[in-house]
């Protein structure tokens, strides 16, 4: 495996939106690496969340860490330039939501952002066949998109192993990200299956004791578990 550095990307979907800037500051101070930003449109998925204005507000608040935008919207292309302007670092989208997947990838890159493709639990990995080398990351969903707090779907482990092999064969520095149901007690097997970038929402923001002691313990437990697998 030609793995990249470990990235813990808390999904702010489970943060307290009434004090979002503070929540993001705290989780980054606790050792998290990226901010995972879930965009839902009540169309591609049945939930409605946050858009470019909130991304821009986090940048204006002083957040300098990478903002990892996960678009669960249809159509995709219209909103890409807005997120680039709002300070997104990477923009990932679902192939089912774009009529022209290759074009959307180029569009994201032309705006100076990293491009990611997101595979739902039932999406075949063959969708990567002609675009993998153009991507900066592949995001595998280990739940169906739309809500935080769901359980990890075990078939994602086998899918991780297969996509890991493809990335390794490509010889490129493409991140392999996992999203959905990632916890301190299953992150080791997820890392062993080949993920290097870990989204966790409820496990971090709803961690027992975090309201009193902050997010340091849970982020450390996750990083230690991954490091033990990689050692
Ligand atoms: C689901 C989102 C996830 C979600 C993860 O559609 O893409 O990022 O917030 O939440 P947990 O970690 O609670 O499963
Ligand atoms: Zn997500």
């Amino acid at each position: 495996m030609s793995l990249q550095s470990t990235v813990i990307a808390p999904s702010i979907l489970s943060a307290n939106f009434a004090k979002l800037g503070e929540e993001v500051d705290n989780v980054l101070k606790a050792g998290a690496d990226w901010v995972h930003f879930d965009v839902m449109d009540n169309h591609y998925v049945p939930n409605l969340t946050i858009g470019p204005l909130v991304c821009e507000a986090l940048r204006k608040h002083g957040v300098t860490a990478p903002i990892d935008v996960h678009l669960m919207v249809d159509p995709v292309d219209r909103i890409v330039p807005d997120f680039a302007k709002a300070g997104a670092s990477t923009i990932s989208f679902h192939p089912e939501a774009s009529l022209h997947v290759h074009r959307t990838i180029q569009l994201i890159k032309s705006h100076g952002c990293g491009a990611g493709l997101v595979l739902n639990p039932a999406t075949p990995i063959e969708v990567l066949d002609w675009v993998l080398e153009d991507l900066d990351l592949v995001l595998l969903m280990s739940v169906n998109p739309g809500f935080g707090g769901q359980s990890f779907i075990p078939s994602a482990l086998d899918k991780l192993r297969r996509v890991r092999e493809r990335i390794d064969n490509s010889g490129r520095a493409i991140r392999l990200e996992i999203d959905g149901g990632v916890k301190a007690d299953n992150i080791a097997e997820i890392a062993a299956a080949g993920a290097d970038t870990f989204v966790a929402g409820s496990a971090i923001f709803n961690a027992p004791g975090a309201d009193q002691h902050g997010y340091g313990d849970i982020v450390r437990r996750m990083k230690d578990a991954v490091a033990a697998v990689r050692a």
Side-chain angles (χ1 to χ4, degrees):
M1 268 195 243
S2 57
L3 285 172
Q4 302 194 62
S5 59
T6 300
V7 162
I8 302 287
S11 162
I12 57 173
L13 189 58
S14 293
N16 181 345
F17 280 124
K19 48 172 189 172
L20 187 58
E22 203 182 307
E23 286 271 75
V24 170
D25 290 343
N26 288 341
V27 85
L28 291 170
K29 240 183 281 159
D33 304 283
W34 290 7
V35 177
H36 186 76
F37 194 103
D38 285 308
V39 185
M40 305 185 187
D41 68 348
N42 181 37
H43 172 68
Y44 178 68
V45 291
N47 202 354
L48 183 66
T49 60
I50 47 178
L53 284 177
V54 177
C55 184
E56 191 182 359
L58 289 176
R59 287 297 186 213
K60 284 188 176 153
H61 176 73
V63 174
T64 55
I67 297 184
D68 176 37
V69 172
H70 175 191
L71 294 180
M72 288 161 273
V73 305
D74 180 358
V76 179
D77 293 4
R78 225 295 294 141
I79 204 75
V80 164
D82 297 23
F83 268 106
K85 215 189 304 159
S89 308
T90 57
I91 300 179
S92 302
F93 69 99
H94 291 249
E96 298 86 352
S98 171
L99 278 179
H100 303 284
V101 170
H102 184 276
R103 178 183 289 157
T104 301
I105 294 168
Q106 306 311 321
L107 175 70
I108 293 169
K109 299 208 300 192
S110 75
H111 281 86
C113 298
L117 201 58
V118 193
L119 277 56
N120 281 332
T123 303
I125 64 171
E126 283 65 33
V127 71
L128 297 170
D129 278 356
W130 302 99
V131 292
L132 180 65
E133 305 218 335
D134 290 322
L135 294 171
D136 297 286
L137 71 87
V138 176
L139 171 49
L140 296 189
M141 293 304 299
S142 38
V143 298
N144 287 294
F147 302 94
Q150 305 178 75
S151 299
F152 187 89
I153 297 172
S155 61
L157 292 173
D158 201 33
K159 207 168 183 182
L160 277 171
R161 284 186 276 270
R162 293 192 198 191
V163 175
R164 177 84 258 156
E165 202 179 325
R166 286 188 173 216
I167 290 175
D168 286 351
N169 290 340
S170 80
R172 295 193 180 245
I174 303 165
R175 285 197 167 273
L176 181 52
E177 186 172 22
I178 187 86
D179 185 3
V182 177
K183 312 277 174 209
D185 59 13
N186 64 6
I187 198 168
E189 55 177 341
I190 295 167
D196 50 42
T197 306
F198 306 85
V199 177
S202 50
I204 292 177
F205 288 104
N206 302 339
D211 45 344
Q212 278 152 22
H213 309 295
Y215 302 119
D217 283 356
I218 181 66
V219 173
R220 204 168 313 114
R221 276 180 65 203
M222 288 185 153
K223 287 203 159 179
D224 287 351
V226 175
V229 170
R230 289 179 161 210

